[in-house]
């Protein structure tokens, strides 16, 4: 059976454009507003959605996403809550791929088998778990694949040709190329180096290559979309959300509107890249 992720990338290829992948943190700034944002993303132009699972020690995340995770946890978001949000989203949208992104500890505590059953039932399509290397594929990657979930791996500027086959071995859905060395929300990538890296990865796999980290606006998204199969934007979306919060870190209608406006601009930038 063709997955939602495969179907969506095929649709974007047919339209001769890259896909836009957006990241939000479940529960940021609270459960109700984050669900409203989640529902608004496809209408604003998001092709795939990464949903962050809040965690207390997010080692790969920069300040913006760390703050988003803290706001979500302070508002009471849990892994069960994340799955409920995906399930609620699926009541309104049967087509947009959802990828959960985060760290292994909450999944391990929840129970891997239980988590995979519940994630599949909620309508999750894939997982990005940044602290599980290929050497630990038996922990979650292979069980996820058997459960019918894509397991998406990250490649970085330091992933050389010797390491790349191990990274790609059990990857499915797409490959996420981290365009800069460092944490999320880092400086702008070198577009020429990104193009070279995308070509190198494509020589090793037929999977789509999505590029993220450091994409801050529509112009940057358009540059990445010239060569990548997808552009991933996270920290810029979180920043737009955060700017609408009051002194008590509470959001409102302006929060959803600000995210929707930015995503619409990003989608336009991606769509313009290959015209």
């Amino acid at each position: 059976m063709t997955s939602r992720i495969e179907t969506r990338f095929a649709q974007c290829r047919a339209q001769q454009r890259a896909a836009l992948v957006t990241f939000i943190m479940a529960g940021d700034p609270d459960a109700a507003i984050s669900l409203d944002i989640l529902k608004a993303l496809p209408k604003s132009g998001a092709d795939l959605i990464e949903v962050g699972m809040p965690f207390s020690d997010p080692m790969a995340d920069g300040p913006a996403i760390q703050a988003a995770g803290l706001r979500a946890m302070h508002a009471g978001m849990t892994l069960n809550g994340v799955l409920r949000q995906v399930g609620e989203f699926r009541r309104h949208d049967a087509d947009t791929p959802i990828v959960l992104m985060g760290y292994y500890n909450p999944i391990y505590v929840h129970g891997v088998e239980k988590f995979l059953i519940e994630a599949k039932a909620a309508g999750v399509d894939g997982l990005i778990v940044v602290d599980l290397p290929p050497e630990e594929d038996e922990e979650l990657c292979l069980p996820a694949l058997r459960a019918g979930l894509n397991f998406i791996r990250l490649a970085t500027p330091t992933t050389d040709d010797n390491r790349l086959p191990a990274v790609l071995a059990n990857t499915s859905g797409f490959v996420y190329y981290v365009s800069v060395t460092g944490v999320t929300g880092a400086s702008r990538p070198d577009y020429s180096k990104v193009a070279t890296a995308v070509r190198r990865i494509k020589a090793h796999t037929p999977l789509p290559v999505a590029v993220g980290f450091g994409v801050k606006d529509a112009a940057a998204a358009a540059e990445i979309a010239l060569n990548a199969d997808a552009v991933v934007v996270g920290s810029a979306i979180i920043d737009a959300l955060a700017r609408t919060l009051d002194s008590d870190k509470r959001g409102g209608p302006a929060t959803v509107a600000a995210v929707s406006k930015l995503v619409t601009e990003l989608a336009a930038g991606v769509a313009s890249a290959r015209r």
Side-chain angles (χ1 to χ4, degrees):
M1 181 183 296
T2 304
S3 71
R4 288 189 188 95
I5 292 175
E6 291 170 325
T7 298
R8 184 51 52 90
F9 274 108
Q11 291 168 343
C12 292
R13 282 194 300 272
Q15 297 167 11
Q16 298 184 319
R17 65 175 180 86
L20 175 62
V21 183
T22 56
F23 171 92
I24 63 166
M25 183 67 69
D28 177 33
D30 59 51
I33 291 176
S34 71
L35 180 57
D36 286 343
I37 292 172
L38 185 59
K39 291 177 181 177
L41 287 172
K43 301 170 189 173
S44 302
D47 295 299
L48 297 87
I49 303 172
E50 293 177 4
V51 176
M53 299 177 284
F55 180 51
S56 58
D57 189 22
M59 65 187 76
D61 294 326
I65 294 179
Q66 285 189 23
L70 286 173
R71 288 192 297 266
M73 287 186 290
H74 288 160
M77 183 53 65
T78 62
L79 186 54
N80 283 326
V82 175
L83 295 173
R84 282 195 298 271
Q85 286 218 336
V86 176
E88 179 62 24
F89 173 83
R90 280 284 171 244
R91 292 179 54 205
H92 304 272
D93 187 317
D95 300 318
T96 305
I98 295 285
V99 175
L100 297 187
M101 185 171 188
Y103 298 84
Y104 184 47
N105 183 272
I107 297 170
Y108 177 79
V109 171
H110 192 85
V112 169
E113 183 177 1
K114 180 172 182 279
F115 168 76
L116 293 174
I117 291 170
E118 293 174 354
K120 185 69 175 177
V124 173
D125 299 291
L127 304 174
I128 300 174
V129 181
V130 300
D131 56 346
L132 278 180
E135 289 75 16
E136 304 296 334
D137 275 358
E138 288 289 351
E139 287 286 327
L140 181 62
C141 173
L142 296 180
L145 295 176
R146 289 192 290 266
L149 295 172
N150 287 131
F151 199 88
I152 295 136
R153 191 85 69 189
L154 276 64
T156 74
T158 60
T159 307
D160 61 24
D161 285 339
N162 292 325
R163 179 63 173 168
L164 193 55
V167 170
L168 296 175
N170 293 312
T171 299
S172 65
F174 61 92
V175 181
Y176 187 155
Y177 178 67
V178 176
S179 61
V180 294
T181 303
V183 296
T184 56
S187 58
R188 288 182 183 271
D190 182 321
Y191 301 124
S192 64
K193 290 182 179 178
V194 169
T196 300
V198 169
R199 287 193 296 270
R200 183 170 68 88
I201 295 169
K202 282 182 166 293
H204 290 266
T205 179
L207 292 171
V209 178
V211 176
F213 282 48
V215 181
K216 299 184 182 300
D217 52 33
E223 289 282 355
I224 297 294
L226 285 170
N227 298 286
D229 297 298
V231 181
V232 186
V233 186
S235 293
I237 292 172
I238 300 300
D239 285 339
L241 178 157
R243 285 193 290 270
T244 71
L245 304 181
D246 66 18
S247 59
D248 294 319
K249 306 299 182 184
R250 292 178 301 200
T255 306
V256 182
V259 171
S260 296
K261 179 176 182 293
L262 176 59
V263 172
T264 299
E265 293 168 356
L266 292 165
V270 169
S272 72
R274 302 181 191 177
R275 287 176 184 164

